[in-house]
Amino acid sequence: MAYQQLLCKWRLYFGFQPAMVIFLLFFFKIVAGQIRYSVPEEMKKGSLIGNVLKTDKGILVVNERIDREQLCGDVTPCSFSFEMILENPMELHHVTIEVLDVNDHPPVFKKSDIMLDISESANIGARFVLDSAEDPDVGVNGLQNYVLTSNDNFVLKQHVNPDGSKYAEIVLQKQLDREKVPSLSLKLIAVDGGNPQRSGTVNINIVVLDANDNAPVFNQSVYKATVIENAAKGTKIVTVNATDVDSGSNGYITYSISNVKSNIADLLSIDQVSGVLSVSGPIDFERDKKYELRIDAKDQGGLTDSSKVIIEVTDVNDNAPTISVMSFTSPVSEDSPPGTTIGIINVKDLDSSDNGQVNCRIEQNAPFKIKSNLRNYYTLVTDTVLDRESVSDYNITVVATDAGMPPLSTKRTFHLKVSDVNDNSPVFSQGVYSAFIAENNSPGVSLVTVRAKDPDENQNARISYILEDSDLDGSPVSQSVSVNAESGVIHAVRSFDYEQVKQLVFVVKAQDGGSSSSQVAM
Ligand SMILES: *[C@@H]1O[C@H](CO)[C@@H](O)[C@H](O)[C@H]1NC(C)=O
Ligand SMILES: *[C@@H]1O[C@H](CO)[C@@H](O)[C@H](O)[C@H]1NC(C)=O
Ligand SMILES: *[C@@H]1O[C@H](CO)[C@@H](O)[C@H](O)[C@H]1NC(C)=O
């Protein structure tokens, strides 16, 4: 065989040394020529490129891997040329090899993940450019298209750069809602047009940023509670609760009492963080039986909700009954018949129900009664006949007691005087007074003093002594004796003679100053 391995010189159009050697087997015959071959890249070592001499001696085969991308990058067509000198006979051949692209690269994204933070308030139509993929292959084997995994919110839009490369962006087509979907995970697939087709994928991780698009919401539109009257400051009444599905400060709620009469603001307070409504002032059932107020919940973005709180106050027996005197008559005459009205009183109790239910009685054991004809009005009446001479005055204590637990009571004392009636006659201390007098007495001498008593009072007890008319031996008794009306001293009016008069008997009357007087004889 006349094989000869020749010096083979080539020159590359693109000035770099390909990792490629071509062995040339030839047979000397032809003088000169232009030869052009098209070879796919990445052919196996030893693959046939062409037959230069159209014999089995001039076969061009691949010696080393031919990588189009390394050789030419994205320049097309990719070719290199060399001269080939054959000896014996001497022939010069200009060989051009065009390296054809093979789809040996998938589109590749630089990173495996694209991170996007997008506010839920982003407007429809907002665009977000994505990193592009690169495919070093050319033509149809290069990057052809992007595909986005299906989702509700975004559509894909593709663009061509001035250099012809393609990039994609996602366009918001439906509003995001962080409260429903706080994050999205999409995939962007870049595909080339080769056969078989190759693709590259990147994950798009979208974090949906919160916008203050939700107001706080109370869990009840009305809260009902009770508070006991006089409850200590700080006593918890009710806890209100609003929630806000936004995050961070957009969901941070503070509570306040709004729009109330100023007195409620002094009595109740709310913890702005915990929503605990508690007592901060004196709770007085007698002043307010019920409180109605509005509570506002506000997030830091200023969105609010409000709710109503109705608080019933529970009564406590903290008020004693009061007694007011409508009328009171003193003194009362001792001859008043039983049942005579002495006074009328009115009782009140500010508390309610049992706590305000009042009953009256008289404390002492006394001849009086208290009775009620009209609610809260009581009449004080005599229960028996009175006798001033036995008891001339009474302290009547009326006790008003409520029905609370424990009960509270109030006392009021009435000082009642019994006025006199002339119902007693004067009574002499002796039925008969005796005295002796010696005859020949001087006129005017006092003989004896009579004394009567009357248990009545004042005028009714003021006694006058009167000598009752009678005859003594044919002349009036008044010519013999006289009585001092006030002192009851009996005087001789004349001188007596034992031989004429041995004994004088006469009657002295005692009379009181009352309208009906009485008398007594002696
Ligand atoms: C309010 O309600 C939410 C949800 O029901 C609960 O998690 C939270 O603890 C409540 N807050 C208070 C103060 O009770
Ligand atoms: C509302 O929240 C309050 C406080 O946490 C709780 O006591 C109450 O039971 C809640 N109401 C409802 C209807 O869940
Ligand atoms: C009534 O009360 C007054 C004042 O306390 C007292 O001076 C008086 O003696 C009392 N009278 C009777 C009859 O108890």
Side-chain angles (χ1 to χ4, degrees):
M1 284 245 293
Y3 278 94
Q4 237 177 349
Q5 183 163 1
L6 283 191
L7 169 74
C8 177
K9 273 196 338 186
W10 63 74
R11 180 168 57 83
L12 288 178
Y13 279 29
F14 305 107
F16 62 88
Q17 193 74 19
M20 177 180 70
V21 175
I22 297 183
F23 279 89
L24 197 60
L25 302 168
F26 63 92
F27 183 35
F28 297 41
K29 205 173 186 175
I30 299 166
V31 181
Q34 278 268 5
I35 305 168
R36 190 176 180 91
Y37 294 111
S38 288
V39 186
E41 60 172 330
E42 306 284 357
M43 286 178 80
K44 269 200 204 131
K45 188 174 168 182
S47 300
L48 175 69
I49 294 176
N51 191 333
V52 179
L53 297 180
K54 309 267 197 291
T55 72
D56 59 351
K57 301 291 197 298
I59 298 170
L60 205 53
V61 295
V62 173
N63 189 38
E64 272 192 16
R65 174 174 174 253
I66 307 174
D67 182 359
R68 192 206 65 77
E69 284 73 36
Q70 198 175 8
L71 213 53
C72 303
D74 50 7
V75 172
T76 52
C78 177
S79 59
F80 59 90
S81 303
F82 51 89
E83 273 81 40
M84 199 165 65
I85 300 162
L86 305 179
E87 289 175 355
N88 199 16
M90 179 83 81
E91 288 181 11
L92 176 69
H93 288 277
H94 184 82
V95 181
T96 301
I97 305 233
E98 186 186 348
V99 181
L100 301 176
D101 187 44
V102 161
N103 192 20
D104 56 348
H105 291 91
V108 172
F109 287 97
K110 281 205 195 75
K111 296 185 218 152
S112 62
D113 292 276
I114 299 174
M115 314 298 288
L116 291 176
D117 290 346
I118 303 178
S119 168
E120 61 177 324
S121 66
N123 292 325
I124 289 182
R127 293 153 181 273
F128 305 90
V129 177
L130 305 174
D131 294 345
S132 33
E134 279 174 11
D135 187 334
D137 293 329
V138 291
V140 291
N141 293 334
L143 173 62
Q144 296 298 310
N145 205 9
Y146 290 100
V147 179
L148 185 67
T149 48
S150 81
N151 73 95
D152 291 340
N153 299 95
F154 293 97
V155 287
L156 190 70
K157 208 159 181 194
Q158 304 192 44
H159 299 277
V160 182
N161 284 316
D163 68 358
S165 60
K166 287 181 167 150
Y167 70 95
E169 60 185 13
I170 50 174
V171 181
L172 189 64
Q173 63 160 7
K174 183 181 165 232
Q175 193 87 41
L176 294 168
D177 184 353
R178 188 202 67 83
E179 289 71 39
K180 285 194 185 124
V181 183
S183 66
L184 279 89
S185 202
L186 307 177
K187 279 187 194 322
L188 179 66
I189 303 161
V191 292
D192 63 24
N195 188 12
Q197 196 175 43
R198 287 173 169 254
S199 65
T201 303
V202 65
N203 296 317
I204 308 174
N205 298 316
I206 300 173
V207 174
V208 181
L209 301 179
D210 188 47
N212 194 23
D213 55 350
N214 289 281
V217 177
F218 275 103
N219 70 345
Q220 293 175 215
S221 59
V222 178
Y223 294 86
K224 288 188 174 161
T226 56
V227 65
I228 194 156
E229 187 180 9
N230 303 333
K233 271 189 191 181
T235 303
K236 284 185 186 181
I237 302 172
V238 68
T239 303
V240 299
N241 188 354
T243 47
D244 189 321
V245 288
D246 289 328
S247 67
S249 68
N250 291 335
Y252 184 79
I253 294 173
T254 54
Y255 301 96
S256 59
I257 298 178
S258 84
N259 195 25
V260 291
K261 291 181 281 169
S262 61
N263 77 314
I264 291 187
D266 295 340
L267 302 178
L268 304 173
S269 64
I270 191 159
D271 184 299
Q272 63 164 16
V273 176
S274 67
V276 174
L277 186 71
S278 52
V279 174
S280 62
I283 302 294
D284 184 2
F285 176 86
E286 286 69 45
R287 184 168 165 188
D288 301 296
K289 297 182 171 41
K290 192 170 165 183
Y291 302 109
E292 284 196 28
L293 55 152
R294 225 183 71 205
I295 305 278
D296 285 346
K298 193 175 186 181
D299 68 23
Q300 301 303 290
L303 299 180
T304 60
D305 187 19
S306 66
S307 183
K308 196 172 176 184
V309 179
I310 300 173
I311 301 166
E312 305 265 0
V313 180
T314 309
D315 187 38
V316 157
N317 193 20
D318 59 348
N319 290 283
T322 53
I323 298 175
S324 20
V325 181
M326 311 306 289
S327 77
F328 176 64
T329 317
S330 174
V332 62
S333 171
E334 59 178 324
D335 66 351
S336 304
T340 301
T341 298
I342 300 163
I344 298 171
I345 60 169
N346 172 248
V347 293
K348 279 198 186 112
D349 191 312
L350 294 175
D351 294 322
S352 63
S353 63
D354 279 0
N355 294 334
Q357 195 68 47
V358 182
N359 199 26
C360 281
R361 65 188 169 84
I362 294 170
E363 192 175 56
Q364 300 90 345
N365 195 2
F368 303 97
K369 275 199 306 205
I370 189 158
K371 54 183 191 182
S372 178
N373 304 321
L374 204 62
R375 191 179 142 73
N376 291 339
Y377 284 88
Y378 288 86
T379 359
L380 195 57
V381 296
T382 58
D383 196 25
T384 59
V385 181
L386 302 177
D387 181 16
R388 190 204 65 82
E389 287 71 35
S390 318
V391 185
S392 63
D393 65 342
Y394 293 93
N395 284 335
I396 308 166
T397 303
V398 173
V399 186
T401 307
D402 66 29
M405 276 304 284
L408 295 176
S409 56
T410 299
K411 290 180 182 184
R412 176 127 187 183
T413 299
F414 296 86
H415 186 71
L416 178 73
K417 284 199 158 134
V418 182
S419 61
D420 190 49
V421 164
N422 194 19
D423 54 354
N424 290 283
S425 305
V427 176
F428 283 100
S429 51
Q430 292 170 232
V432 177
Y433 292 85
S434 313
F436 295 92
I437 184 169
E439 62 176 342
N440 299 326
N441 62 296
S442 50
V445 72
S446 72
L447 303 174
V448 68
T449 302
V450 297
R451 192 167 302 284
K453 280 190 177 158
D454 188 320
D456 289 329
E457 204 177 37
N458 301 331
Q459 206 56 34
N460 294 337
R462 192 186 178 90
I463 297 171
S464 305
Y465 300 98
I466 300 154
L467 184 62
E468 194 144 276
D469 267 353
S470 58
D471 259 18
L472 278 179
D473 298 335
S475 57
V477 67
S478 58
Q479 288 182 3
S480 301
V481 292
S482 68
V483 180
N484 184 305
E486 282 185 23
S487 64
V489 179
I490 297 173
H491 300 271
V493 174
R494 59 181 176 95
S495 184
F496 295 110
D497 180 0
Y498 175 80
E499 287 68 32
Q500 280 179 3
V501 185
K502 289 194 177 53
Q503 183 176 300
L504 282 145
V505 176
F506 55 90
V507 173
V508 174
K509 196 171 76 176
Q511 181 177 310
D512 66 28
S515 42
S516 67
S517 54
S518 57
Q519 52 196 26
V520 145
M522 158 185 166

